Amino acid sequence: MNIQKVGIVGAGQMGNGIAHVMALAGYDVLLTDVSADALEKAMIVMSGNLERQVSRGKITEDEHKNALAQITTTQKLSDLGDCDLIIESATERETVKQAIFEDLLPHLKPETILTSNTSSISITRLASRTDRPEKFMGFHFMNPVPIMQLVELIRGIATDEPTYNACKEVVERLNKTAASAEDFPAFIVNRILMPMINEAVYTLYEGVGSVKSIDDSMKLGANHPMGPLELADFIGLDTCLAIMNVLHDGLADTKYRPCPLLTKYVEAGWLGRKTQRGFYDYRGDVPVPTR
């Protein structure tokens, strides 16, 4: 399978990061979103991130210009019809993802590979709603995409070997490392990471420690680059809650029960950095703990 043109659905933080690395690797990239503003913002963000890489000597100015030239944007899903590989990177809601694939299917080439950047949803279930479950798999990038070196490749029950190998070759061309994961709730990274974050929220909820003491403990006591509550704000508390619900529902084990305080923050709309408030308040010059 010769992959040259990559379609990316969703121009948010993950989508523009994926477009960034794909374009740098020389792929023709078609980035789509329902929002024209999101597409415009994505191009500005990508340009800024590429400029930052130039200033740090990671890439040349020519590579910066060439990468931007490789990226085209569109608001029409149907324009992705001639792509060889499509990576869906929309919001972490299964109904939204299913609707996107349903709208895409009539326009695709028979050989097009479909993938999802989902961090937790069943690949087998998503694939079963398409006309090509054997050419469908999970392609889970880590955030921020241009910096993080890992990509989880998740096979559904029907994913065939040529599809897996083609996606693995893409990861290698990106100079990233592929980790093969089986299709169980939250795969590898989030199966381990999210319960740790959830436990940190329980530690806060039960009054064992404050936001600052919990984060300082894990940064200075376990050598983590970010504390778990700081990391939760970075990921988005709504995403953390969604993944915990997938784990809880999919594995039916009470150890994955989302902390009520996490649910409360999401209900308040305090989702972390993207809304300026989460476990920290980001509206001032310096983040301030909210508890």
Side-chain angles (χ1 to χ4, degrees), residues 171-217:
V171 175
E172 290 168 354
R173 184 163 155 183
L174 299 177
N175 290 319
K176 295 186 183 293
T177 299
S180 296
E182 294 302 314
D183 185 24
F184 290 100
F187 319 129
I188 295 172
V189 172
N190 283 319
R191 172 75 177 265
I192 297 166
L193 176 64
M194 285 303 158
M196 184 197 76
I197 287 175
N198 194 52
E199 195 61 31
V201 184
Y202 266 115
T203 306
L204 179 66
Y205 175 63
E206 293 168 5
V208 179
S210 65
V211 168
K212 185 177 187 307
S213 62
I214 291 166
D215 277 352
D216 283 350
S217 294

Side-chain angles (χ1 to χ4, degrees), residues 28-258:
D28 293 323
V29 176
L30 185 54
L31 178 63
T32 184
D33 199 286
V34 292
S35 164
D37 288 344
L39 290 170
E40 186 178 344
K41 182 181 176 183
M43 292 303 298
I44 293 168
V45 168
M46 285 187 284
S47 181
N49 288 339
L50 286 162
E51 284 174 9
R52 198 171 297 113
Q53 286 182 300
V54 172
S55 69
R56 293 174 180 172
K58 302 289 186 183
I59 63 172
T60 66
E61 185 59 45
D62 282 346
E63 286 173 318
H64 169 201
K65 290 177 182 174
N66 291 340
L68 285 179
Q70 297 282 123
I71 302 168
T72 308
T73 63
T74 179
Q75 285 183 262
K76 294 181 181 178
L77 266 182
S78 57
D79 288 346
L80 275 62
D82 65 341
C83 291
D84 306 307
L85 167 68
I86 290 175
I87 303 170
E88 171 276 317
S89 187
T91 187
E92 192 69 355
R93 282 176 29 217
E94 189 165 349
T95 52
V96 173
K97 295 178 185 298
Q98 286 174 347
I100 288 168
F101 290 124
E102 190 176 313
D103 289 347
L104 270 172
L105 290 177
H107 309 287
L108 301 181
K109 301 182 294 185
E111 64 271 22
T112 298
I113 293 173
L114 283 176
T115 68
S116 176
N117 184 52
T118 178
S119 52
S120 61
I121 297 168
S122 167
I123 298 303
T124 298
R125 198 163 59 239
L126 287 173
S128 72
R129 302 290 292 270
T130 75
D131 63 355
R132 61 194 71 204
E134 72 286 350
K135 293 187 183 302
F136 192 109
M137 66 182 299
F139 210 143
H140 181 216
F141 288 83
M142 305 297 125
N143 185 30
V145 180
I147 294 171
M148 303 297 279
Q149 292 300 302
L150 186 77
V151 180
E152 282 183 312
L153 293 181
I154 307 103
R155 282 185 257 220
I157 198 168
T159 307
D160 63 24
E161 201 65 20
T163 298
Y164 173 80
N165 289 334
C167 289
K168 189 177 180 185
E169 285 175 16
V170 172
V171 175
E172 290 168 354
R173 184 163 155 183
L174 299 177
N175 290 319
K176 295 186 183 293
T177 299
S180 296
E182 294 302 314
D183 185 24
F184 290 100
F187 319 129
I188 295 172
V189 172
N190 283 319
R191 172 75 177 265
I192 297 166
L193 176 64
M194 285 303 158
M196 184 197 76
I197 287 175
N198 194 52
E199 195 61 31
V201 184
Y202 266 115
T203 306
L204 179 66
Y205 175 63
E206 293 168 5
V208 179
S210 65
V211 168
K212 185 177 187 307
S213 62
I214 291 166
D215 277 352
D216 283 350
S217 294
M218 295 308 292
K219 284 191 286 189
L220 303 177
N223 206 27
H224 289 194
M226 296 173 74
L229 301 175
E230 182 185 5
L231 180 57
D233 276 358
F234 180 75
I235 294 167
L237 304 193
D238 52 339
T239 300
C240 294
L241 179 60
I243 295 170
M244 287 309 302
N245 280 326
V246 166
L247 280 165
H248 192 230
D249 295 344
L251 298 171
D253 191 325
T254 55
K255 74 180 181 180
Y256 299 115
R257 184 172 68 98

Side-chain angles (χ1 to χ4, degrees), residues 2-6 26-29 84 173:
N2 184 27
I3 294 172
Q4 291 299 328
K5 188 169 185 179
V6 179
Y27 291 104
D28 293 323
V29 176
D84 306 307
R173 184 163 155 183

